[in-house]
């Protein structure tokens, strides 16, 4: 047991040592905010992957969330997300941010 005490005491002091200063973290990428007004021209078009890509580009948003008919959405708000709702005929009915 006495042989373990010096080894254990050495382990306790390891946590007290300092580390050299790390390089500063790179700046966070600039958030792309959604502008739904710029994508309103897509309402009435078919809800397709290509249309989603066009809405994402036009709105400037970073992510896109599809809203199928008669579905519930979470209420979390993300200023960098564009929301696209469509009806049973797969026609886009609403484009909003959040």
């Amino acid at each position: 047991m006495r042989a373990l005490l010096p080894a254990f005491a050495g382990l306790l002091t390891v946590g007290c040592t300092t580390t050299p200063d790390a390089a500063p973290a790179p700046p966070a990428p600039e958030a792309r905010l959604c502008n739904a007004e710029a994508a309103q021209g897509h309402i009435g078009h078919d809800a397709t992957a290509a249309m989603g890509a066009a809405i994402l580009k036009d709105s400037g948003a970073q992510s896109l969330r599809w809203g199928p008919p008669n579905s519930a959405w979470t209420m979390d708000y993300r200023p960098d997300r564009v929301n696209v709702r469509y009806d049973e005929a797969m026609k886009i009915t609403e484009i909003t941010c959040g």
Side-chain angles (χ1 to χ4, degrees):
M1 182 71 165
R2 287 185 180 206
L4 294 177
L5 288 176
F8 184 67
L11 288 175
L12 291 177
T13 60
V14 170
C16 297
T17 60
T18 59
T19 57
D21 291 334
E30 187 174 318
R32 297 185 333 209
L33 299 179
C34 174
N35 175 10
E37 292 300 318
Q40 295 301 307
H42 298 291
I43 292 176
H45 291 117
D46 291 334
T48 63
M51 187 56 59
I55 292 169
L56 198 58
K57 179 178 179 262
D58 290 349
S59 70
Q62 188 168 338
S63 64
L64 179 139
R65 175 169 62 168
W66 289 105
N70 305 313
S71 65
W73 279 0
T74 60
M75 295 301 293
D76 64 315
Y77 180 78
R78 291 187 39 202
D80 65 338
R81 177 173 61 198
V82 62
N83 302 307
V84 181
R85 288 197 181 266
Y86 57 92
D87 62 15
E88 290 83 5
M90 297 295 291
K91 298 291 183 189
I92 296 172
T93 59
E94 182 181 29
I95 299 172
T96 61
C97 293

